[in-house]
């Protein structure tokens, strides 16, 4: 998919670009309002990632322009402001999602993929990882075409893993994905650990491989690479 | 004491002081005038008698004549005024008279003539004077009162208008204050001073607020970069266990820094009264929702939940209510022991949440202060209770913490 990232911090801009390109996307960048405005007028994008506070303008104006000119692109706001009004306002004028800084790249990735699936495939798209098949719209996971019996949180975990395959997922990133950033409990890490163990067992029972690698004290990786 | 009451009291005080003085002055002035008039009449009568005696050689009839006395010697006595009282049978009392004695000449003989003129009765005079003066003073007093009242409302009007403007003005407002100008130079001066002062305070406050907001926003972008680079390093697979630990510490502290920034922004936003909405919040639904959001963790810790929730609706900002109750529930879950209990109780009077748990290491009074942690080992920043306290403060709720051997409970008393 084709993504435009609008963010005034060049370092962060490049980090996001690198990450998204590694994920196999075409990613263009705009460090300010003007270049962003020029780009959305000329090229079609699937997803726009918009920082609200830009040095030469407001990201919300870009969203308004996109909506005014009927450009069909999914919009994710990334903002340093963690204010509910900003979030509501952003979503009201037509943004699809709102992510508060600091965010994990893996979280941004999951949000982009979910948005893209909703927009382009109307949600009807299965995600494959070797013998594992995920149907996000019905919260179902199949291992070698057999339905895996999962709790809601277990589904969220495996979905998050598969979307961010081969990536390190820190336990903080997983906890944030599952509960939002206001949960800061040591218990949540234990919870993740226990549920991952359950998940492995359930997948193994249906003849699936164990793709979860534990990175010592840091987190996990879902990968079939060594 | 109100200004009008104060000035009126002073007026009354001075009137009371002036009253006897005025009475005394009145008395003497009137007495003097009356005597002077009487003397004038008597002197005039003397001249008439003298003239008559010179022309007709005999005493004319006079209403004022009291007595005549032939003098033997021819010494010319001067005219003398004096006061006396004479018993008057018709009134059955002594009546005061002014007497004037002078020497006239009847033919060749000197004649001592005494004239009299009735004087006003002194007691009556005082009485009427008292009444008259009192009446005047009463009129004056009432007049002063109404004039004063009129002046008070009219002249002080700009002052009171500005006072009420100042009362309703808060430094959190973004617009500068505009005071009503007045033709009275003292008020105008006061307005200038107050406006300058308020403007300074408002600017300082705005600057501080902006600084607070900026700093906690501006750190979030660099923190995003730091954290993502750290995650990249952590995931690179090139680090040994020791280096992984170091990177992990950086990662955790970055998270903490970001949370501190967010929490401080929230506190200052609450302090700035930026949450002004009054929603009708159904606490029962809200608490149930919060608990169900943490259901997995609660099940995971094998906590026994006992919830007695009545339907309670309070008026407050939905966002703040959510933060307050999420904090309390989260606290109770977080500091709970494995297999402990969690009791929730909600009624019209209060919300109480109690949980099993170890004794916190921090003293009870310090628990609500910023950056105080019940357990330093835990991964929190210690701002949750400070935030809860702030939220309770702005709605006039009372947040109470109680503990005994192995139970902790927080209660929010509504009103």
């Amino acid at each position: 998919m084709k993504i435009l990232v609008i963010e005034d911090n060049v370092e962060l801009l490049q980090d996001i670009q690198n990450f998204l390109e590694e994920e196999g996307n075409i990613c263009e960048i705009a460090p300010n309002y003007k270049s962003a405005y020029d780009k959305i007028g000329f090229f079609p994008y699937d997803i726009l990632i918009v920082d609200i506070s830009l040095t030469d303008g407001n990201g919300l104006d870009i969203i308004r322009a996109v909506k005014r000119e009927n450009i069909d692109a999914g919009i994710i706001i990334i903002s340093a402001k963690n204010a509910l009004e900003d979030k509501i306002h952003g979503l009201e004028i037509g943004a699809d999602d709102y992510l508060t800084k600091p965010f994990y790249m893996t979280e941004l990735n999951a949000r982009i993929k979910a948005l893209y699936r909703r927009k382009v495939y109307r949600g009807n798209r299965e995600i494959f990882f070797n013998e594992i098949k995920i149907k996000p719209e019905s919260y179902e996971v199949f291992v070698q075409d057999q339905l895996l019996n999962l709790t809601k949180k277990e589904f969220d975990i495996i979905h998050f893993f598969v979307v961010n395959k081969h990536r390190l997922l820190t336990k903080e990133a997983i906890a944030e994905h599952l509960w939002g950033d206001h949960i800061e409990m040591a218990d949540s890490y234990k919870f993740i650990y226990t549920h991952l163990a359950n998940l492995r067992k359930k997948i193994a029972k249906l003849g699936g491989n164990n793709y979860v690698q534990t990175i010592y004290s840091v987190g996990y990786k879902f990968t079939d690479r060594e | 004491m109100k200004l009008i009451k104060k000035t009126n009291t002073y007026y009354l005080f001075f009137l009371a002081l002036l009253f006897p003085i005025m009475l005394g002055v009145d008395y003497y002035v009137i007495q003097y005038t009356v005597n002077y008039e009487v003397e004038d009449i008597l002197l005039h009568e003397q001249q008439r008698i003298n003239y008559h005696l010179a022309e007709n050689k005999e005493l004319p009839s006079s209403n004022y004549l009291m007595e005549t006395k032939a003098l033997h010697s021819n010494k010319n006595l001067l005219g003398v005024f004096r006061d006396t009282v004479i018993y008057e049978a018709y009134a059955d009392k002594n009546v005061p008279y002014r007497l004037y004695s002078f020497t006239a000449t009847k033919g060749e003989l000197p004649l001592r003539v005494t004239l009299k003129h009735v004087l006003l009765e002194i007691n009556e005079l005082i009485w009427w004077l008292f009444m008259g003066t009192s009446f005047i003073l009463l009129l004056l007093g009432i007049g002063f009162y109404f004039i004063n009242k009129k002046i008070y409302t009219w002249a002080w009007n700009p002052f009171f208008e500005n006072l009420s403007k100042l009362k309703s003005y808060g430094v959190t407002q973004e617009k500068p204050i505009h005071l009503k100008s007045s033709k009275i130079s003292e008020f105008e001066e006061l307005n200038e001073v107050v406006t300058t002062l308020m403007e300074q305070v408002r600017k300082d406050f705005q600057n501080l607020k902006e600084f607070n907001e900026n700093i906690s926003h501006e750190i979030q972008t660099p923190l995003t970069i730091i954290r993502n680079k750290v995650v990249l390093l952590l995931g690179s697979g090139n680090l040994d266990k020791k280096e992984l630990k170091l990177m992990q510490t950086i990662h955790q502290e970055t998270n903490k820094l970001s949370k501190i920034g967010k929490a401080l922004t929230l506190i200052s936003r609450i302090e700035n009264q930026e949450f002004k909405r009054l929603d009708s919040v159904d606490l029962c639904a809200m608490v149930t929702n919060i608990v169900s959001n943490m259901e997995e963790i609660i099940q995971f810790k094998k906590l026994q939940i006992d919830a007695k929730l009545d339907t309670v609706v309070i008026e407050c900002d939905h966002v703040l209510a959510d933060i307050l109750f999420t904090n309390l529930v989260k606290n109770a879950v977080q500091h709970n022991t494995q297999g402990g209990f969690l009791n929730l109780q909600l009624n019209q009077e209060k919300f109480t949440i109690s949980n099993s748990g170890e004794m916190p290491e921090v003293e009870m009074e310090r628990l609500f202060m910023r950056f105080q942690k019940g357990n330093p080992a835990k991964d929190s920043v210690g701002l949750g209770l400070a935030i809860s306290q702030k939220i309770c403060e702005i709605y006039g709720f009372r947040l109470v913490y109680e503990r005994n051997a192995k139970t902790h409970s927080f209660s929010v008393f509504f009103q």
Side-chain angles (χ1 to χ4, degrees), chain A residues 7-9 11-12 15 19 22 51 53 80-85 88 100-106 152-153 167-168 170-173 176 179 181-192 194-195 215-218 221, chain B residues 213 216-218 220-225 227-232 234-237 241 244-245 248 251-252 254-255 258-259 262 269 274-275 277 293-294 296-297 300-301 319 326 330 333-335 338 378-382:
Chain A
E7 156 70 55
D8 61 350
N9 186 306
E11 189 65 40
L12 181 60
D15 279 356
F19 187 95
E22 277 170 33
D51 181 16
S53 43
K81 283 193 183 175
N82 185 23
L84 195 75
E85 307 90 85
I88 291 169
T100 311
K101 288 179 186 176
F103 52 84
Y104 287 98
M105 289 299 171
T106 45
K152 172 77 175 64
K153 287 283 185 256
R167 295 268 178 202
L168 165 68
T170 62
K171 43 190 204 283
E172 289 85 356
E176 212 174 286
W179 289 285
D181 69 347
H182 59 274
I183 293 273
E184 48 189 49
M185 299 185 201
D187 303 320
S188 59
Y189 307 147
K190 285 185 211 147
F191 174 83
I192 293 164
T194 320
H195 279 255
I215 316 290
Y216 173 72
S217 91
V218 174
K221 230 182 224 185
Chain B
E213 281 173 4
S216 34
H217 289 158
E218 291 306 316
Q220 301 299 347
T221 306
L223 285 175
T224 315
I225 298 167
R227 208 171 65 168
N228 284 321
K229 305 263 187 211
V230 169
V231 172
L232 280 179
L234 284 170
S236 72
K241 276 194 173 181
L244 270 180
K245 262 235 157 90
Q248 179 62 0
H251 182 214
Q252 281 164 358
T254 316
N255 278 341
S258 149
K259 272 173 187 144
K262 284 178 184 175
R269 289 184 67 213
E274 283 176 42
F275 296 93
R277 291 175 35 168
N293 276 344
M294 297 185 195
E296 301 93 10
I297 303 276
F300 180 72
K301 290 191 95 167
V319 176
T326 305
K330 196 176 80 182
V333 174
Q334 194 171 359
H335 296 110
Q338 191 73 28
K378 284 263 164 86
D379 191 22
S380 65
V381 291

Side-chain angles (χ1 to χ4, degrees), chain B residues 364-403:
Chain B
M364 262 170 99
E365 309 83 65
R366 297 178 61 82
L367 207 64
F368 292 104
M369 289 167 76
R370 293 180 187 184
F371 301 108
Q372 292 299 324
K373 290 189 259 184
N375 180 354
K378 284 263 164 86
D379 191 22
S380 65
V381 291
L383 284 170
L385 278 180
I387 291 171
S388 304
Q389 178 83 321
K390 270 269 141 31
I391 296 172
C392 286
E393 252 170 43
I394 63 165
Y395 291 116
F397 301 161
R398 209 151 47 82
L399 183 60
V400 178
Y401 171 60
E402 283 164 324
R403 67 177 171 204

Side-chain angles (χ1 to χ4, degrees), chain B residues 200-298:
Chain B
Q200 190 61 45
V201 172
R202 194 185 63 86
K203 271 187 188 157
D204 283 354
F205 178 81
Q206 293 293 341
N207 282 341
L208 188 70
K209 196 178 127 191
E210 266 171 40
F211 174 77
N212 266 342
E213 281 173 4
N214 288 347
I215 199 135
S216 34
H217 289 158
E218 291 306 316
I219 61 165
Q220 301 299 347
T221 306
L223 285 175
T224 315
I225 298 167
I226 295 172
R227 208 171 65 168
N228 284 321
K229 305 263 187 211
V230 169
V231 172
L232 280 179
L233 275 171
L234 284 170
S236 72
N238 298 330
L239 304 181
D240 60 26
K241 276 194 173 181
K242 203 173 151 194
E243 288 163 338
L244 270 180
K245 262 235 157 90
L246 292 176
M247 292 313 291
Q248 179 62 0
T249 311
I250 296 175
H251 182 214
Q252 281 164 358
E253 295 306 308
T254 316
N255 278 341
K256 228 177 261 182
L257 202 54
S258 149
K259 272 173 187 144
I260 289 171
K262 284 178 184 175
L264 288 179
T265 319
L266 182 62
I267 290 178
S268 76
R269 289 184 67 213
I270 297 170
E271 279 176 345
N272 297 347
Q273 294 165 357
E274 283 176 42
F275 296 93
K276 281 180 188 148
R277 291 175 35 168
L278 279 181
D279 308 308
S280 294
V281 180
D282 180 357
L283 289 186
C284 177
M286 179 174 269
V287 172
T288 311
N289 189 36
I290 291 167
V291 172
S292 76
N293 276 344
M294 297 185 195
E295 209 184 332
E296 301 93 10
I297 303 276
I298 292 168

Side-chain angles (χ1 to χ4, degrees), chain A residues 8 43 49 65 86 95 104 122 132 147 156 158 218:
Chain A
D8 61 350
F43 310 106
I49 294 165
D86 290 350
Y104 287 98
R122 307 266 169 255
I132 295 168
L147 183 66
D156 287 341
I158 192 166
V218 174

Side-chain angles (χ1 to χ4, degrees), chain B residues 287-333:
Chain B
V287 172
T288 311
N289 189 36
I290 291 167
V291 172
S292 76
N293 276 344
M294 297 185 195
E295 209 184 332
E296 301 93 10
I297 303 276
I298 292 168
Q299 277 175 11
F300 180 72
K301 290 191 95 167
K302 297 187 173 65
L303 303 179
Q304 291 295 319
I305 294 197
D306 181 18
K308 289 192 191 78
L309 307 174
D310 295 352
T311 305
V312 176
V313 176
I314 58 166
E315 295 278 308
C316 63
D317 193 302
H318 197 277
V319 176
L320 288 189
D322 192 56
I323 293 169
L324 172 63
F325 291 100
T326 305
N327 271 345
L328 293 176
V329 175
K330 196 176 80 182
N331 242 351
V333 174

